Amino acid sequence: VEVKAAALCHTELHFVDGTLNLGVKPITMGHEAAGVITAVGQGVPSERLGERVVVYYYVGCGECRWCLGGNEQICGKLKAEFGFISDGGLAKLLK
């Protein structure tokens, strides 16, 4: 996803003042982002290229009971958590 807009909230201030430290450095902030799909992977139809999207910042494993139940936010094997454990919306691209 090519980022077209990103927002900062109070959470980023917690990173800056040291209140929140997930042990991942360096990291690009921003867990609120929107953009355009510029590439697709396996299982994603090419018709989605150019689609405008809002990025949900949790990317779960897709296999555990939490993910299968629609609760990716409590997955124990997150693939990404944009702006927290993987680069976020202030980057040019999210993958």
Coordinates of all heavy atoms in Angstrom, one line a residue:
V1 N 0.9 -1.2 0.0 CA 0.0 0.0 0.0 C 0.9 1.2 0.0 O 1.8 1.4 0.9 CB -0.9 0.0 1.2 CG1 -1.7 1.3 1.3 CG2 -1.9 -1.2 1.2
E2 N 0.7 2.1 -1.0 CA 1.4 3.4 -1.0 C 0.6 4.3 -0.1 O -0.6 4.6 -0.4 CB 1.5 3.9 -2.4 CG 2.2 5.2 -2.5 CD 2.3 5.8 -3.9 OE1 2.0 5.1 -4.9 OE2 2.7 6.9 -4.0
V3 N 1.2 4.8 0.9 CA 0.5 5.7 1.9 C 0.2 7.0 1.3 O 1.1 7.7 0.7 CB 1.4 5.9 3.2 CG1 0.7 6.8 4.1 CG2 1.6 4.5 3.8
K4 N -1.0 7.5 1.4 CA -1.4 8.8 0.9 C -1.8 9.7 2.0 O -1.7 10.9 1.9 CB -2.7 8.6 0.0 CG -2.4 7.9 -1.3 CD -1.4 8.6 -2.2 CE -1.2 7.9 -3.5 NZ -0.3 8.6 -4.4
A5 N -2.1 9.2 3.2 CA -2.4 10.0 4.4 C -2.1 9.1 5.6 O -2.3 7.9 5.6 CB -3.9 10.4 4.4
A6 N -1.6 9.8 6.6 CA -1.4 9.2 7.9 C -1.6 10.1 9.0 O -1.6 11.4 8.8 CB 0.1 8.7 8.0
A7 N -2.0 9.6 10.2 CA -2.3 10.5 11.3 C -1.5 10.0 12.5 O -1.0 8.9 12.6 CB -3.8 10.4 11.7
L8 N -1.2 11.0 13.4 CA -0.6 10.7 14.7 C -1.6 10.9 15.8 O -2.5 11.8 15.7 CB 0.6 11.6 14.9 CG 1.7 11.5 13.9 CD1 2.8 12.5 14.2 CD2 2.3 10.1 13.9
C9 N -1.5 10.2 16.8 CA -2.4 10.4 18.0 C -1.5 10.4 19.2 O -0.3 10.4 19.2 CB -3.5 9.3 18.0 SG -2.9 7.7 18.5
H10 N -2.2 10.4 20.4 CA -1.5 10.5 21.6 C -0.5 9.3 21.9 O 0.4 9.4 22.6 CB -2.5 10.6 22.8 CG -1.9 11.2 24.0 ND1 -1.7 12.6 24.1 CD2 -1.4 10.6 25.1 CE1 -1.2 12.8 25.3 NE2 -0.9 11.7 25.9
T11 N -0.8 8.1 21.2 CA 0.0 7.0 21.4 C 1.4 7.3 21.0 O 2.4 6.8 21.7 CB -0.5 5.8 20.6 OG1 -1.9 5.5 20.9 CG2 0.3 4.5 20.7
E12 N 1.7 8.0 19.9 CA 3.0 8.3 19.5 C 3.7 9.2 20.5 O 5.0 9.0 20.7 CB 3.0 9.0 18.1 CG 2.8 8.1 16.9 CD 1.4 7.6 16.8 OE1 0.4 8.2 17.3 OE2 1.2 6.6 16.1
L13 N 3.0 10.0 21.2 CA 3.7 10.8 22.3 C 4.2 9.9 23.4 O 5.2 10.1 24.0 CB 2.7 11.8 22.9 CG 2.2 12.9 22.0 CD1 1.2 13.8 22.7 CD2 3.4 13.7 21.5
H14 N 3.5 8.7 23.6 CA 4.0 7.8 24.6 C 5.3 7.1 24.2 O 6.2 6.8 25.0 CB 2.9 6.7 24.9 CG 1.7 7.2 25.6 ND1 1.8 7.9 26.8 CD2 0.4 7.1 25.3 CE1 0.5 8.3 27.1 NE2 -0.3 7.8 26.3
F15 N 5.5 6.9 22.9 CA 6.7 6.4 22.4 C 7.8 7.4 22.6 O 8.9 7.1 23.1 CB 6.7 6.1 20.9 CG 6.1 4.7 20.6 CD1 4.8 4.6 20.1 CD2 6.8 3.6 20.7 CE1 4.3 3.4 19.8 CE2 6.3 2.3 20.4 CZ 5.0 2.2 19.9
V16 N 7.5 8.7 22.3 CA 8.5 9.8 22.4 C 9.0 10.0 23.9 O 10.1 10.2 24.2 CB 8.0 11.1 21.8 CG1 8.9 12.3 22.1 CG2 7.8 10.9 20.3
D17 N 8.0 10.0 24.8 CA 8.4 10.3 26.2 C 8.8 9.0 27.0 O 9.2 9.1 28.1 CB 7.2 11.0 26.9 CG 6.0 10.1 27.2 OD1 6.1 8.8 27.1 OD2 4.9 10.7 27.6
G18 N 8.8 7.9 26.3 CA 9.3 6.6 26.9 C 8.3 5.8 27.7 O 8.7 4.8 28.2
T19 N 7.1 6.3 27.8 CA 6.0 5.6 28.5 C 5.7 4.2 27.9 O 5.5 3.3 28.5 CB 4.7 6.4 28.6 OG1 5.0 7.7 29.2 CG2 3.7 5.7 29.4
L20 N 5.8 4.2 26.5 CA 5.5 3.0 25.7 C 6.8 2.6 25.0 O 7.4 3.4 24.2 CB 4.4 3.3 24.7 CG 4.0 2.1 23.9 CD1 3.5 0.9 24.8 CD2 2.8 2.5 23.0
N21 N 7.3 1.4 25.4 CA 8.6 1.0 24.7 C 8.4 -0.5 24.4 O 8.4 -1.3 25.3 CB 9.8 1.2 25.6 CG 11.1 0.7 25.0 OD1 11.1 0.1 23.9 ND2 12.2 1.0 25.6
L22 N 8.2 -0.9 23.2 CA 8.0 -2.3 22.8 C 9.3 -2.9 22.4 O 9.3 -4.1 21.9 CB 7.0 -2.3 21.7 CG 5.6 -1.8 22.0 CD1 4.7 -1.8 20.8 CD2 5.0 -2.5 23.2
G23 N 10.4 -2.2 22.6 CA 11.7 -2.8 22.3 C 12.1 -2.9 20.8 O 13.0 -3.6 20.4
V24 N 11.4 -2.2 19.9 CA 11.6 -2.2 18.5 C 12.1 -0.9 18.1 O 11.4 0.1 18.1 CB 10.3 -2.6 17.7 CG1 10.6 -2.6 16.2 CG2 9.7 -3.9 18.2
K25 N 13.4 -0.8 17.7 CA 14.0 0.4 17.3 C 15.0 0.1 16.2 O 15.7 -0.9 16.3 CB 14.7 1.1 18.4 CG 13.7 1.6 19.4 CD 14.4 2.4 20.5 CE 13.4 2.9 21.5 NZ 13.9 3.6 22.6
P26 N 15.2 0.9 15.2 CA 14.3 2.1 14.9 C 13.0 1.6 14.3 O 12.9 0.5 13.8 CB 15.2 2.8 13.9 CG 15.9 1.8 13.1 CD 16.2 0.7 14.2
I27 N 12.0 2.5 14.4 CA 10.7 2.2 13.8 C 10.1 3.5 13.3 O 10.3 4.5 13.9 CB 9.8 1.5 14.9 CG1 8.5 0.9 14.2 CG2 9.4 2.5 16.0 CD1 7.8 -0.1 15.0
T28 N 9.3 3.3 12.2 CA 8.6 4.4 11.7 C 7.2 4.5 12.3 O 6.5 3.5 12.3 CB 8.5 4.3 10.1 OG1 9.8 4.2 9.6 CG2 7.8 5.5 9.5
M29 N 6.8 5.6 12.9 CA 5.5 5.7 13.6 C 4.3 5.7 12.7 O 4.5 5.9 11.5 CB 5.5 7.0 14.4 CG 6.5 7.0 15.5 SD 6.0 6.0 16.9 CE 7.5 5.6 17.6
G30 N 3.2 5.7 13.3 CA 1.9 5.8 12.5 C 1.1 4.6 12.4 O 1.4 3.8 11.5
H31 N 0.1 4.4 13.2 CA -0.8 3.2 13.1 C -2.1 3.6 12.5 O -3.0 2.7 12.4 CB -0.9 2.5 14.5 CG -1.6 3.4 15.5 ND1 -0.9 4.3 16.3 CD2 -2.9 3.5 15.9 CE1 -1.7 4.9 17.1 NE2 -2.9 4.4 16.9
E32 N -2.2 4.8 12.0 CA -3.5 5.2 11.3 C -3.1 5.7 9.9 O -2.4 6.7 9.8 CB -4.1 6.4 12.1 CG -4.5 5.9 13.5 CD -4.9 7.1 14.4 OE1 -4.9 8.2 14.0 OE2 -5.4 6.8 15.5
A33 N -3.4 4.9 8.9 CA -3.0 5.2 7.5 C -4.0 4.8 6.5 O -4.8 3.9 6.7 CB -1.6 4.5 7.3
A34 N -4.0 5.5 5.4 CA -4.8 5.2 4.2 C -3.9 5.3 3.0 O -3.0 6.1 3.0 CB -6.0 6.1 4.2
G35 N -4.3 4.6 2.0 CA -3.5 4.7 0.7 C -4.1 3.9 -0.4 O -5.3 3.7 -0.4
V36 N -3.2 3.6 -1.4 CA -3.6 2.9 -2.6 C -2.8 1.6 -2.8 O -1.6 1.6 -2.6 CB -3.3 3.8 -3.8 CG1 -3.7 3.1 -5.1 CG2 -4.1 5.1 -3.7
I37 N -3.5 0.5 -3.1 CA -2.8 -0.7 -3.4 C -2.0 -0.6 -4.6 O -2.5 -0.3 -5.7 CB -3.9 -1.9 -3.5 CG1 -4.6 -2.0 -2.1 CG2 -3.2 -3.2 -3.9 CD1 -5.7 -3.1 -2.2
T38 N -0.7 -0.9 -4.5 CA 0.2 -0.8 -5.6 C 0.8 -2.1 -6.0 O 1.5 -2.2 -7.1 CB 1.4 0.2 -5.4 OG1 2.0 -0.2 -4.2 CG2 0.8 1.7 -5.2
A39 N 0.6 -3.1 -5.2 CA 1.1 -4.5 -5.5 C 0.2 -5.5 -4.7 O -0.3 -5.1 -3.7 CB 2.6 -4.6 -5.1
V40 N 0.1 -6.6 -5.3 CA -0.7 -7.7 -4.6 C 0.1 -8.9 -4.5 O 1.0 -9.2 -5.3 CB -2.1 -8.0 -5.3 CG1 -3.0 -6.7 -5.3 CG2 -1.8 -8.4 -6.8
G41 N -0.2 -9.7 -3.5 CA 0.5 -11.0 -3.3 C -0.4 -12.2 -3.7 O -1.5 -12.0 -4.2
Q42 N 0.1 -13.3 -3.3 CA -0.6 -14.6 -3.6 C -2.0 -14.5 -3.0 O -2.2 -14.2 -1.8 CB 0.1 -15.7 -3.1 CG -0.5 -17.1 -3.3 CD 0.4 -18.2 -2.8 OE1 1.5 -18.0 -2.3 NE2 -0.2 -19.4 -2.9
G43 N -3.0 -14.9 -3.7 CA -4.4 -15.0 -3.2 C -5.2 -13.7 -3.3 O -6.3 -13.6 -2.9
V44 N -4.5 -12.6 -3.8 CA -5.2 -11.3 -3.9 C -5.4 -11.0 -5.4 O -4.4 -11.0 -6.1 CB -4.4 -10.2 -3.2 CG1 -5.1 -8.9 -3.3 CG2 -4.1 -10.5 -1.7
P45 N -6.6 -10.8 -5.8 CA -6.8 -10.5 -7.3 C -6.2 -9.2 -7.7 O -6.2 -8.2 -7.0 CB -8.4 -10.5 -7.4 CG -8.9 -10.4 -6.0 CD -7.8 -10.8 -5.1
S46 N -5.6 -9.3 -8.9 CA -5.0 -8.1 -9.5 C -6.0 -6.9 -9.7 O -5.5 -5.8 -9.8 CB -4.3 -8.4 -10.8 OG -5.2 -8.9 -11.8
E47 N -7.3 -7.2 -9.7 CA -8.3 -6.1 -9.8 C -8.2 -5.2 -8.7 O -8.8 -4.1 -8.7 CB -9.7 -6.7 -10.0 CG -10.0 -7.5 -11.2 CD -9.4 -8.9 -11.2 OE1 -9.3 -9.5 -10.0 OE2 -9.1 -9.5 -12.2
R48 N -7.6 -5.5 -7.6 CA -7.5 -4.7 -6.4 C -6.4 -3.6 -6.6 O -6.4 -2.6 -5.8 CB -7.2 -5.5 -5.2 CG -8.3 -6.5 -4.9 CD -8.9 -6.7 -3.6 NE -8.9 -5.6 -2.7 CZ -8.9 -5.8 -1.4 NH1 -8.7 -7.0 -0.9 NH2 -9.0 -4.7 -0.6
L49 N -5.5 -3.7 -7.6 CA -4.5 -2.7 -7.8 C -5.2 -1.4 -8.1 O -6.2 -1.3 -8.8 CB -3.7 -3.1 -9.0 CG -2.7 -4.2 -8.8 CD1 -2.1 -4.7 -10.1 CD2 -1.6 -3.8 -7.8
G50 N -4.7 -0.3 -7.4 CA -5.3 1.0 -7.6 C -6.5 1.3 -6.6 O -7.0 2.4 -6.5
E51 N -6.9 0.3 -5.9 CA -8.0 0.5 -4.9 C -7.5 1.3 -3.7 O -6.4 1.1 -3.2 CB -8.5 -0.9 -4.4 CG -9.6 -0.9 -3.5 CD -10.1 -2.3 -3.1 OE1 -9.9 -3.2 -3.9 OE2 -10.5 -2.5 -1.9
R52 N -8.4 2.2 -3.3 CA -8.1 3.0 -2.1 C -8.5 2.3 -0.9 O -9.6 1.7 -0.8 CB -8.8 4.4 -2.2 CG -8.3 5.2 -3.3 CD -8.9 6.6 -3.4 NE -10.3 6.4 -3.6 CZ -11.2 7.4 -3.6 NH1 -10.8 8.7 -3.4 NH2 -12.5 7.2 -3.9
V53 N -7.6 2.2 0.2 CA -7.9 1.4 1.4 C -7.5 2.2 2.6 O -6.6 3.1 2.6 CB -7.1 0.1 1.3 CG1 -7.6 -0.8 0.2 CG2 -5.6 0.3 1.2
V54 N -8.1 1.8 3.7 CA -7.7 2.2 5.1 C -7.0 1.0 5.6 O -7.4 -0.2 5.5 CB -8.9 2.5 5.9 CG1 -8.5 2.8 7.4 CG2 -9.6 3.7 5.4
V55 N -5.8 1.2 6.2 CA -5.0 0.1 6.7 C -5.4 -0.2 8.2 O -5.3 0.6 9.0 CB -3.5 0.4 6.6 CG1 -2.6 -0.7 7.2 CG2 -3.1 0.7 5.2
Y56 N -5.7 -1.5 8.4 CA -6.0 -2.0 9.8 C -4.6 -2.4 10.3 O -3.9 -3.1 9.7 CB -6.9 -3.2 9.7 CG -7.2 -3.7 11.1 CD1 -7.8 -3.0 12.1 CD2 -7.0 -5.1 11.4 CE1 -8.1 -3.5 13.3 CE2 -7.3 -5.6 12.6 CZ -7.9 -4.8 13.6 OH -8.2 -5.3 14.8
Y57 N -4.2 -1.9 11.5 CA -2.8 -2.0 11.9 C -2.4 -3.3 12.5 O -1.3 -3.6 12.7 CB -2.4 -0.8 12.8 CG -3.1 -0.7 14.1 CD1 -2.6 -1.2 15.2 CD2 -4.3 0.1 14.1 CE1 -3.2 -1.0 16.5 CE2 -4.9 0.3 15.4 CZ -4.4 -0.2 16.5 OH -5.0 0.0 17.7
Y58 N -3.4 -4.2 12.7 CA -3.0 -5.6 13.2 C -3.0 -6.6 12.0 O -4.0 -6.6 11.3 CB -4.0 -6.1 14.2 CG -3.9 -5.5 15.5 CD1 -4.9 -4.6 16.0 CD2 -2.8 -5.7 16.4 CE1 -4.8 -4.0 17.2 CE2 -2.8 -5.1 17.7 CZ -3.8 -4.2 18.0 OH -3.7 -3.6 19.3
V59 N -2.0 -7.3 11.8 CA -1.9 -8.4 10.8 C -1.6 -9.7 11.6 O -0.5 -10.0 11.9 CB -0.9 -8.2 9.7 CG1 -0.9 -9.3 8.7 CG2 -1.1 -6.8 9.0
G60 N -2.7 -10.4 11.8 CA -2.6 -11.7 12.6 C -2.0 -12.8 11.7 O -1.9 -12.7 10.5
C61 N -1.8 -14.0 12.4 CA -1.3 -15.1 11.7 C -2.3 -15.7 10.7 O -2.0 -16.4 9.8 CB -0.8 -16.2 12.7 SG -2.2 -17.0 13.6
G62 N -3.6 -15.5 11.0 CA -4.7 -16.0 10.2 C -5.0 -17.5 10.4 O -5.9 -18.0 9.8
E63 N -4.4 -18.1 11.4 CA -4.6 -19.5 11.7 C -5.0 -19.8 13.1 O -5.6 -20.9 13.3 CB -3.3 -20.3 11.3 CG -2.9 -20.1 9.9 CD -1.5 -20.8 9.6 OE1 -0.8 -21.2 10.6 OE2 -1.1 -20.8 8.5
C64 N -4.7 -19.0 14.0 CA -5.1 -19.3 15.4 C -6.6 -19.1 15.7 O -7.3 -18.5 14.9 CB -4.2 -18.5 16.4 SG -4.6 -16.7 16.5
R65 N -7.0 -19.5 16.9 CA -8.4 -19.4 17.2 C -8.8 -17.9 17.3 O -10.0 -17.6 17.0 CB -8.8 -20.1 18.5 CG -8.1 -19.5 19.7 CD -8.5 -20.3 21.0 NE -7.7 -19.8 22.1 CZ -8.3 -19.5 23.3 NH1 -9.6 -19.6 23.4 NH2 -7.6 -19.1 24.2
W66 N -7.9 -17.0 17.7 CA -8.3 -15.6 17.8 C -8.5 -15.0 16.4 O -9.4 -14.3 16.1 CB -7.2 -14.8 18.5 CG -6.9 -15.4 19.9 CD1 -5.8 -16.0 20.3 CD2 -7.8 -15.4 21.0 NE1 -5.9 -16.4 21.6 CE2 -7.2 -16.0 22.1 CE3 -9.1 -15.0 21.1 CZ2 -7.8 -16.2 23.3 CZ3 -9.8 -15.2 22.4 CH2 -9.1 -15.8 23.4
C67 N -7.6 -15.3 15.4 CA -7.7 -14.8 14.1 C -8.9 -15.4 13.4 O -9.7 -14.6 12.7 CB -6.5 -15.1 13.3 SG -5.0 -14.1 13.7
L68 N -9.1 -16.7 13.5 CA -10.3 -17.3 12.9 C -11.6 -16.8 13.5 O -12.6 -16.8 12.8 CB -10.2 -18.8 13.1 CG -9.0 -19.5 12.3 CD1 -8.9 -21.0 12.7 CD2 -9.1 -19.3 10.8
G69 N -11.6 -16.3 14.7 CA -12.7 -15.7 15.3 C -12.9 -14.2 15.1 O -13.8 -13.6 15.7
G70 N -12.0 -13.6 14.3 CA -12.1 -12.2 14.0 C -11.5 -11.3 15.0 O -11.8 -10.1 15.1
N71 N -10.6 -11.9 15.9 CA -10.0 -11.1 16.9 C -8.5 -11.0 16.8 O -7.7 -11.3 17.7 CB -10.3 -11.7 18.3 CG -11.7 -11.5 18.7 OD1 -12.2 -10.4 18.7 ND2 -12.4 -12.6 18.9
E72 N -8.0 -10.5 15.6 CA -6.6 -10.5 15.3 C -5.8 -9.7 16.3 O -4.6 -9.9 16.5 CB -6.4 -9.8 13.9 CG -7.0 -10.6 12.7 CD -8.4 -10.2 12.4 OE1 -9.0 -9.4 13.2 OE2 -9.0 -10.7 11.5
Q73 N -6.5 -8.7 17.0 CA -5.8 -7.8 17.9 C -5.2 -8.6 19.1 O -4.4 -8.1 19.8 CB -6.7 -6.7 18.3 CG -7.8 -7.1 19.3 CD -9.0 -7.7 18.8 OE1 -9.1 -8.0 17.6 NE2 -10.0 -7.9 19.6
I74 N -5.6 -9.8 19.3 CA -5.1 -10.6 20.5 C -4.4 -11.9 20.0 O -4.1 -12.7 20.8 CB -6.2 -10.9 21.5 CG1 -7.4 -11.6 20.9 CG2 -6.5 -9.7 22.3 CD1 -8.5 -12.0 21.9
C75 N -4.0 -11.9 18.7 CA -3.2 -13.0 18.1 C -1.9 -13.0 18.8 O -1.2 -12.0 19.0 CB -3.1 -12.8 16.6 SG -1.9 -14.0 15.8
G76 N -1.4 -14.2 19.2 CA -0.1 -14.3 19.8 C 1.1 -14.4 18.8 O 2.2 -14.4 19.2
K77 N 0.7 -14.5 17.5 CA 1.8 -14.6 16.5 C 1.6 -13.5 15.4 O 1.5 -13.8 14.2 CB 1.7 -16.0 15.8 CG 2.0 -17.1 16.8 CD 2.1 -18.4 16.1 CE 0.9 -19.3 16.6 NZ 0.7 -20.5 15.8
L78 N 1.5 -12.3 15.8 CA 1.2 -11.2 14.8 C 2.3 -11.2 13.8 O 3.5 -11.3 14.1 CB 1.2 -9.8 15.5 CG 0.0 -9.5 16.4 CD1 0.2 -8.2 17.1 CD2 -1.3 -9.5 15.6
K79 N 1.9 -11.0 12.5 CA 2.9 -10.8 11.4 C 3.3 -9.4 11.3 O 4.4 -9.1 10.9 CB 2.2 -11.2 10.1 CG 1.9 -12.7 10.0 CD 1.3 -13.0 8.6 CE 1.1 -14.5 8.5 NZ 0.5 -14.9 7.2
A80 N 2.4 -8.4 11.7 CA 2.8 -7.0 11.7 C 1.8 -6.3 12.6 O 0.7 -6.8 12.9 CB 2.6 -6.4 10.3
E81 N 2.3 -5.2 13.1 CA 1.5 -4.3 13.9 C 2.0 -2.9 13.6 O 2.9 -2.4 14.2 CB 1.6 -4.6 15.4 CG 0.6 -3.8 16.2 CD 0.7 -4.2 17.7 OE1 1.5 -5.0 18.1 OE2 -0.1 -3.6 18.5
F82 N 1.5 -2.3 12.5 CA 2.0 -1.1 11.9 C 2.1 0.0 12.9 O 1.1 0.3 13.6 CB 1.2 -0.7 10.7 CG 1.1 -1.7 9.6 CD1 -0.1 -2.3 9.3 CD2 2.3 -2.1 8.9 CE1 -0.1 -3.3 8.3 CE2 2.3 -3.0 7.9 CZ 1.1 -3.7 7.6
G83 N 3.3 0.6 13.0 CA 3.6 1.7 13.9 C 3.9 1.3 15.3 O 4.3 2.1 16.2
F84 N 3.9 -0.1 15.6 CA 4.2 -0.6 16.9 C 5.4 -1.5 16.9 O 6.4 -1.3 17.5 CB 3.0 -1.3 17.6 CG 1.9 -0.3 18.0 CD1 0.8 0.0 17.1 CD2 1.9 0.3 19.2 CE1 -0.2 0.9 17.5 CE2 0.9 1.2 19.6 CZ -0.1 1.5 18.7
I85 N 5.2 -2.6 16.1 CA 6.3 -3.6 16.0 C 6.8 -3.7 14.6 O 7.7 -4.5 14.3 CB 5.9 -5.0 16.6 CG1 4.8 -5.6 15.8 CG2 5.6 -4.9 18.0 CD1 4.4 -7.0 16.2
S86 N 6.2 -3.0 13.6 CA 6.6 -2.9 12.2 C 6.4 -1.5 11.8 O 5.6 -0.8 12.3 CB 5.9 -3.9 11.4 OG 4.5 -3.9 11.6
D87 N 7.1 -1.0 10.8 CA 7.0 0.3 10.3 C 5.6 0.7 10.0 O 4.8 0.0 9.4 CB 7.9 0.6 9.1 CG 9.4 0.7 9.5 OD1 9.7 1.0 10.7 OD2 10.3 0.4 8.6
G88 N 5.3 2.0 10.3 CA 3.9 2.4 10.2 C 3.6 3.4 9.1 O 4.4 3.6 8.2
G89 N 2.5 4.1 9.2 CA 2.0 5.0 8.2 C 2.8 6.2 7.8 O 2.5 6.9 6.8
L90 N 3.8 6.6 8.6 CA 4.7 7.7 8.1 C 5.7 7.2 7.1 O 6.5 8.0 6.6 CB 5.3 8.4 9.4 CG 4.3 9.0 10.3 CD1 5.0 9.7 11.5 CD2 3.4 10.1 9.6
A91 N 5.8 5.9 6.9 CA 6.6 5.4 5.8 C 5.9 5.6 4.5 O 4.7 5.8 4.4 CB 6.9 3.9 6.0
K92 N 6.6 5.5 3.4 CA 6.0 5.7 2.1 C 5.1 4.5 1.7 O 4.1 4.7 1.0 CB 7.1 6.0 1.0 CG 6.5 6.2 -0.4 CD 7.6 6.6 -1.4 CE 6.9 6.8 -2.7 NZ 7.9 7.3 -3.7
L93 N 5.6 3.3 2.0 CA 4.9 2.1 1.7 C 4.7 1.2 2.9 O 5.5 1.1 3.8 CB 5.7 1.3 0.6 CG 6.0 1.9 -0.7 CD1 7.0 1.1 -1.5 CD2 4.7 2.0 -1.5
L94 N 3.6 0.5 2.9 CA 3.3 -0.5 3.9 C 3.1 -1.8 3.2 O 2.5 -1.9 2.2 CB 2.0 -0.2 4.7 CG 2.1 1.1 5.5 CD1 0.7 1.3 6.2 CD2 3.1 1.0 6.6
K95 N 3.7 -2.9 3.8 CA 3.5 -4.2 3.2 C 3.3 -5.3 4.2 O 3.5 -5.1 5.3 CB 4.7 -4.6 2.3 CG 6.1 -4.4 2.8 CD 7.1 -4.8 1.9 CE 8.5 -4.3 2.3 NZ 9.5 -4.8 1.5

